[in-house]
Amino acid sequence: MTAPSGPSKSLAVVLLQLGGPGSLDEVQPFLENMFRDPDLFGLSLPSRVRDWLAHRLSVWRARSATDLYAAIGGRSPIRETTLRQAEKLERELGGELPCRVFVAMRYGSPSTEATVDAVRAAGCGRVLLLPLYPQFAGATTGSSIREWTLRSREKGLVLPTERIDSYYRDGGYIAAVAERVGQALQRFPGHASPPHLVFSAHGLPTRFVKQGDPYQQQVRETVRLVCRACPPGLDHTLCYQSRIGPQRWLKPGLVETLRNLGRDHVESVLVVPISFVSDHLETLSEINIEARKIALESGIRQFETMTGLNDSPAFISALATLVRSHPIASLAR
């Protein structure tokens, strides 16, 4: 399809997200696509070796991952959630800003390549890349931006393009997380002692941080600001989850943290998935099923998980403010 002729002021806002399998049959291909990404592990390997390794790892990992996805409904809900986020964001911006909001999944559908085609077909005049990773990491935001740049170049899409690298300390985002924490705190009886907040962020190999990746520092700042916005007197711990492979990863881990809290006779815990904006396998299975079991076995009596931001009005409003305040948006008015 050919884009309409003539200049266009319309802004394409592209939400960058990881993606997930839409069925159990898609689990292994999804994992293979993910493991093929050179940014994920930072390994400098020839493409043929990387492809072979990605296939072997995905076949091995799919054996257990398929069961995990089956336990949460047979697929990842992240595609539907992200499409709803895009629809609501476009609706919120539409009254004042000529724009279209698209979704580009790094490893899932709609793919980055397909979204490049969609932006071209829509005849937009400029692009704003908005990652759904609040904290910047080369393996997430960096990888998604590089994929967009590569696919755009391959397809000859030449448009003024800007990006929002992170919004880990943005006031609207912090308020949206604090709102979700407040809602989750209502699940704890008033006569009981306040729960211990366990902020769980996606893990990252430590060598990335040593090489200058700002992810860990940004996660810590997010936690500090969320705690400041929450009711006083709540103890908290920051930990990391979703470790893959034999490399050294950021510590402490989620499992280690829960067992330590159990040994310290902590009776109630609220897990806050701090680097995830949407519920998916890491929150619905790794936290809400696997970590819950470990917590109860460790003596923790009440274990709750904060609902993801998903398409909450507060989060959509925060994203809309980020778009409106970016200089490229003024060119579309």
Side-chain angles (χ1 to χ4, degrees):
M1 183 179 296
T2 304
S5 61
S8 171
K9 294 177 65 176
S10 179
L11 175 65
V13 178
V14 181
L15 301 182
L16 304 176
Q17 181 58 286
L18 181 76
S23 68
L24 295 181
D25 290 338
E26 293 180 14
V27 171
Q28 187 273 326
F30 167 78
L31 291 173
E32 184 168 347
N33 190 18
M34 183 172 66
F35 291 150
R36 192 180 290 119
D37 181 4
D39 293 314
L40 185 64
F41 300 110
L43 298 177
S44 213
L45 297 171
S47 59
R48 189 167 64 178
V49 175
R50 189 169 60 246
D51 291 347
W52 176 85
L53 186 59
H55 179 72
R56 293 293 298 270
L57 284 173
S58 66
V59 170
W60 170 76
R61 176 61 179 161
R63 295 170 186 167
S64 58
T66 299
D67 292 338
L68 299 179
Y69 279 109
I72 63 169
R75 60 181 175 80
S76 171
I78 199 167
R79 181 178 187 274
E80 290 81 358
T81 299
T82 311
L83 290 175
R84 285 199 309 271
Q85 290 167 335
E87 178 185 356
K88 292 188 176 184
L89 179 59
E90 183 172 304
R91 190 182 308 146
E92 179 146 344
L93 291 169
E96 58 188 285
L97 187 66
C99 74
R100 293 284 307 279
V101 181
F102 301 87
V103 170
M105 297 295 193
R106 179 63 183 88
Y107 312 117
S109 175
S111 68
T112 304
E113 184 176 10
T115 304
V116 169
D117 288 336
V119 169
R120 181 197 300 276
C124 296
R126 48 192 52 84
V127 176
L128 177 62
L129 303 177
L130 176 53
L132 293 178
Y133 321 109
Q135 299 85 15
F136 181 94
T140 52
T141 306
S143 178
S144 291
I145 290 173
R146 282 187 284 275
E147 178 74 359
W148 178 268
T149 303
L150 173 63
R151 300 307 173 190
S152 298
R153 185 182 301 121
E154 287 178 347
K155 289 180 168 290
L157 182 70
V158 182
L159 294 175
T161 301
E162 298 290 342
R163 69 198 198 200
I164 296 173
D165 280 340
S166 65
Y167 42 95
Y168 65 98
R169 57 176 297 124
D170 173 73
Y173 162 66
I174 297 298
V177 177
E179 178 183 77
R180 281 292 204 232
V181 172
Q183 293 166 353
L185 287 173
Q186 296 176 15
R187 301 178 216 157
F188 294 87
H191 60 81
S193 59
H196 190 105
L197 300 184
V198 174
F199 290 91
S200 186
H202 199 291
L204 188 73
T206 55
R207 63 189 182 85
F208 286 2
V209 175
K210 292 178 181 177
Q211 292 168 359
D213 195 296
Y215 175 74
Q216 184 181 36
Q217 178 273 324
Q218 292 186 1
V219 168
R220 287 173 173 169
E221 179 66 2
T222 298
V223 169
R224 185 186 72 82
L225 293 172
V226 170
C227 286
R228 195 169 71 178
C230 287
L234 296 173
D235 293 329
H236 74 275
T237 303
L238 169 61
C239 62
Y240 301 89
Q241 64 178 96
S242 308
R243 172 177 173 169
I244 303 174
Q247 304 180 76
R248 290 188 176 182
W249 288 64
L250 296 176
K251 292 184 177 182
L254 174 59
V255 170
E256 173 191 353
T257 296
L258 293 173
R259 286 176 175 158
N260 287 340
L261 291 174
R263 280 194 290 267
D264 291 340
H265 307 292
V266 172
E267 294 189 352
S268 59
V269 163
L270 171 60
V271 180
V272 180
I274 199 57
S275 60
F276 310 94
V277 302
S278 303
D279 283 319
H280 55 306
L281 188 70
E282 279 80 358
T283 62
L284 300 176
S285 177
E286 189 174 355
I287 295 177
N288 209 37
I289 297 177
E290 299 172 65
R292 176 186 298 276
K293 181 174 182 294
I294 290 168
L296 297 178
E297 290 173 348
S298 300
I300 296 170
R301 295 185 179 181
Q302 184 174 2
F303 178 93
E304 303 289 344
T305 305
M306 185 196 87
T307 303
L309 296 178
N310 297 322
D311 58 347
S312 78
F315 181 53
I316 299 302
S317 177
L319 294 179
T321 299
L322 287 169
V323 173
R324 290 190 198 101
S325 60
H326 196 281
I328 200 172
S330 64
L331 303 175
R333 291 188 175 94

